[in-house]
Amino acid sequence: MTSPLRPDDAYPYLRAASAGIRHHTRSLASPDAAPPQRTDRRHLDVLHAHLTALLQLLDRLAETARPPYPAAGRHLATAHTCLWQATSEVHSAFHLLPADTAAKEAEASACHPERLPEGPPVLTICQRHLAAGHVLRRKTTPTDLRPHATACAR
């Protein structure tokens, strides 16, 4: 006889990712912890990668929920759009931070990262952002991308 799975057990990778975010958030907010690390481009790049993965998950959930439950699909699509806006802001913040000293040293060295097939390592966030934006624009209109507020129906 098998016991029913708890909702958390059905999606172990998502649970692990959520636990990692909670741990990181607690470590930054803890008053007795080491001084918080300053936000750098690498930190925002990893956060952007996580957000774009969540965009893909929400997109798939909205697609599967829409046929049998159109209202739920619309709400998931709205969540997808709001998450895109957050992802876009993280991308913008990435470009406003000063470049990492390691990136500056790589530019000065004889190595030419721009010749790599995947492009310069610093610009992988841009490639990821453009790919996510391309998927988003195929499924939404410019009106959908405007900020909006939704109210809970409960």
Side-chain angles (χ1 to χ4, degrees), residues 12 22 27 40 42 53 59 63 65 68 97 106 118 129-131 139 153:
R22 282 192 303 272
S27 69
D40 60 355
R42 249 183 275 136
D59 188 36
E63 289 297 319
L97 290 177
E118 66 273 4
H129 195 70
L130 287 172
K139 298 181 179 193

Side-chain angles (χ1 to χ4, degrees), residues 82-114:
C82 292
L83 185 59
W84 165 254
Q85 292 165 341
T87 305
S88 187
E89 293 301 325
V90 169
H91 178 252
S92 296
F94 173 87
H95 286 293
L96 292 175
L97 290 177
D100 192 6
T101 56
K104 288 178 185 174
E105 289 172 8
E107 288 175 15
S109 71
C111 176
H112 294 281
E114 69 276 1

Side-chain angles (χ1 to χ4, degrees), residues 17-31 33 36 43 47:
S18 298
I21 290 173
R22 282 192 303 272
H23 171 74
H24 185 71
T25 303
R26 276 194 306 268
S27 69
L28 287 176
S30 176
H43 184 184
L47 180 60

Side-chain angles (χ1 to χ4, degrees), residues 8-24:
D8 289 350
D9 292 338
Y11 306 100
Y13 297 115
L14 188 57
R15 188 180 72 234
S18 298
I21 290 173
R22 282 192 303 272
H23 171 74
H24 185 71

Side-chain angles (χ1 to χ4, degrees), residues 3 12 15 34 39 46 51 70 78 81-82 97 107 117 141 145 154:
S3 62
R15 188 180 72 234
T39 303
V46 171
L51 290 173
T78 300
T81 302
C82 292
L97 290 177
E107 288 175 15
T141 65
L145 296 177
R154 292 184 185 197

Side-chain angles (χ1 to χ4, degrees), residues 53-65 76 80 139:
L54 284 174
L55 278 170
Q56 291 174 348
L57 176 62
L58 268 176
D59 188 36
R60 289 186 184 130
L61 288 172
E63 289 297 319
T64 58
L76 288 172
H80 184 269
K139 298 181 179 193

